[in-house]
């Protein structure tokens, strides 16, 4: 069984991911007018690889052995030695595509790839064809198994995507989790989790209601994420015109091809704490002043107008007592 074409954008994204985790940055070296490249073979070997397939795609049953060819093109004036390895594809936490790093050990599609040569020497202005096989284990789970061929040499790394679908029942399923409204930043964060066994390109709709009605109503739009089976990504939805003062209920609805759908909600209270703090300080000052005034009035009542007369009566009584005893002091 041979491979067929699929997804130029996916291949380009994976190539960037391979460069990010591979031997080094993508750049032309030695002053060559064009760097070497790696791509699926065009078949006849007469067309440049860039005019052929952007990525590899295959379908097979558990136990199948799939065969195809990688083209490595060196348009420069110097010979190149290119190393090849298989890698598993994955998602970073923010949703970008990634591949197994050079020091890592692939456990899925990357481990099932075998090359006729692990290192290929490509003379100047020549294209080398490297056959390889993809052996599907007998116990491979049905569904999508994305991977990559990573080519490295001369300070340059290129990733070529390999999409494998193992025959059997498929399930498209995703969930929306950990929805949180950041009232300070004016944003909504959430997680998307691929609970099925197919690659998903999710869409997201956002709705928010406040005390007086609808505050936000964004129709479903495609997210710039390719969510691989079993992966979780953390995303943020900006909300620049979030209310300053309101009690809000937010609802996120995610959908994807194959009937995948899920909805999650969260509640939040928007309160202008700076204004509240300032108003609270004024209120406390007013209350303190009022209490001070009440206490002063209370003391004046206790020491009322008759208090001086009372002290005079006590003094007179003491003088009479002395007179009755004949005490001359």
């Amino acid at each position: 069984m041979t491979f067929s074409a699929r997804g130029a954008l996916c291949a380009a994204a994976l190539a960037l991911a391979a460069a990010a985790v591979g031997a080094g940055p993508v750049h032309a070296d030695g002053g060559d007018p064009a760097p070497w490249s790696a791509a699926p073979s065009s078949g006849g070997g007469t067309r440049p690889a860039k005019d052929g397939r952007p990525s590899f795609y295959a379908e097979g049953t558990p136990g199948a052995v799939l065969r195809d060819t990688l083209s490595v093109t060196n348009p420069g004036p110097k010979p190149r030695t290119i190393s090849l390895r298989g890698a598993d594809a994955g998602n970073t936490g923010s949703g970008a595509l990634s591949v197994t790093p050079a020091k890592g050990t692939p456990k899925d599609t990357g481990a099932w790839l075998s090359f006729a040569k692990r290192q290929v020497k490509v003379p100047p202005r020549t294209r080398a064809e490297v056959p390889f096989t993809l052996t599907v284990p007998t116990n491979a789970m049905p569904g999508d198994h994305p991977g990559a061929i990573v080519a490295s040499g001369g300070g340059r790394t290129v990733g070529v995507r390999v999409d494998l679908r193992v025959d059997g029942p498929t399930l498209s399923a995703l969930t929306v989790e950990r929805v949180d409204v950041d009232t300070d930043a004016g944003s909504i964060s959430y997680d998307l989790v691929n609970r099925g066994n197919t690659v998903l390109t999710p869409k997201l709709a956002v709705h928010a209601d406040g005390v007086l009605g609808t505050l936000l109503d964004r129709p479903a739009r495609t997210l710039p994420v390719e969510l691989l089976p079993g992966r979780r990504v953390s995303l943020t939805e900006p909300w620049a015109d979030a209310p300053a003062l309101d009690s809000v209920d937010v609802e996120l609805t995610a959908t994807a091809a194959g009937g995948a759908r899920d909805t999650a909600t969260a509640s939040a209270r928007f309160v202008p704490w700076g204004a509240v703090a300032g108003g609270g300080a004024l209120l406390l000052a007013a209350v303190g002043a009022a209490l001070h005034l009440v206490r002063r009035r209370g003391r004046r009542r206790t020491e009322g107008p008759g208090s001086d007369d009372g002290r005079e009566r006590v003094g007179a009584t003491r003088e009479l007592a002395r007179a009755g005893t004949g005490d001359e002091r």
Side-chain angles (χ1 to χ4, degrees):
M1 181 181 294
T2 59
F3 294 88
S4 58
R6 182 186 179 183
L9 284 178
C10 297
L14 197 64
L16 291 175
V21 300
V26 174
H27 64 276
D29 46 8
D32 291 349
W36 64 266
S37 62
S41 173
S42 58
T46 58
R47 293 181 300 161
K50 67 179 181 179
D51 296 331
R53 298 170 288 165
S55 63
F56 294 106
Y57 178 75
E59 292 185 13
T61 60
V65 179
L66 313 176
R67 295 177 174 84
D68 210 317
T69 304
L70 177 75
S71 291
V72 181
T73 304
N74 178 18
K78 298 180 180 179
R80 295 296 177 201
T81 299
I82 309 301
S83 299
L84 304 175
R85 65 181 178 89
D88 297 337
N91 287 116
T92 64
S94 61
L97 286 175
S98 64
V99 296
T100 308
K103 294 183 179 180
T105 302
K107 300 179 180 179
D108 202 72
T109 301
W112 307 341
L113 290 166
S114 297
F115 302 93
K117 294 181 179 180
R118 282 282 182 176
Q119 283 193 336
V120 55
K121 294 182 179 180
V122 188
R125 302 178 182 86
T126 303
R127 183 169 73 249
E129 304 292 331
V130 185
F132 68 91
T133 60
L134 197 165
T135 303
V136 184
T138 56
N139 62 346
M141 297 293 293
D144 293 337
H145 295 261
I149 295 174
V150 180
S152 302
R156 174 178 170 80
T157 298
V158 174
V160 182
R161 180 161 176 154
V162 178
D163 285 300
L164 169 67
R165 171 161 286 191
V166 178
D167 292 346
T170 57
L171 173 66
S172 297
L174 80 163
T175 56
V176 185
E177 302 177 7
R178 301 199 297 188
V179 180
D180 181 68
V181 181
D182 190 331
T183 57
D184 294 327
S187 62
I188 305 167
S189 61
Y190 60 98
D191 285 2
L192 287 182
V193 186
N194 188 337
R195 299 293 183 181
N197 61 354
T198 63
V199 176
L200 300 177
T201 303
K203 295 182 179 181
L204 183 74
V206 184
H207 186 86
D209 287 325
V211 174
L212 299 180
T214 300
L215 298 173
L216 191 63
D217 192 17
R218 296 177 183 171
R221 76 182 196 285
T222 301
L223 298 175
V225 173
E226 188 178 9
L227 190 56
L228 306 187
R231 299 302 198 275
R232 174 190 295 270
V233 297
S234 299
L235 304 173
T236 300
E237 188 77 8
W239 192 0
D241 55 348
L245 177 64
D246 209 336
S247 179
V248 177
D249 293 321
V250 174
E251 180 181 88
L252 302 184
T253 301
T255 57
R261 181 185 179 89
D262 191 41
T263 298
T265 60
S267 298
R269 289 182 174 83
F270 288 85
V271 179
W273 291 113
V276 170
L282 292 176
L283 179 60
L284 288 175
V287 170
L291 288 175
H292 179 69
L293 182 60
V294 169
R295 288 173 180 170
R296 287 188 60 187
R297 289 180 177 176
R299 285 198 299 269
R300 288 178 179 177
R301 291 194 185 99
T302 303
E303 300 172 356
S307 59
D308 291 341
D309 293 341
R311 286 194 293 271
E312 290 177 0
R313 292 192 190 100
V314 171
T317 301
R318 288 176 178 172
E319 290 295 327
L320 287 175
R322 293 194 201 96
T325 58
D327 191 352
E328 297 288 332
R329 289 178 302 172

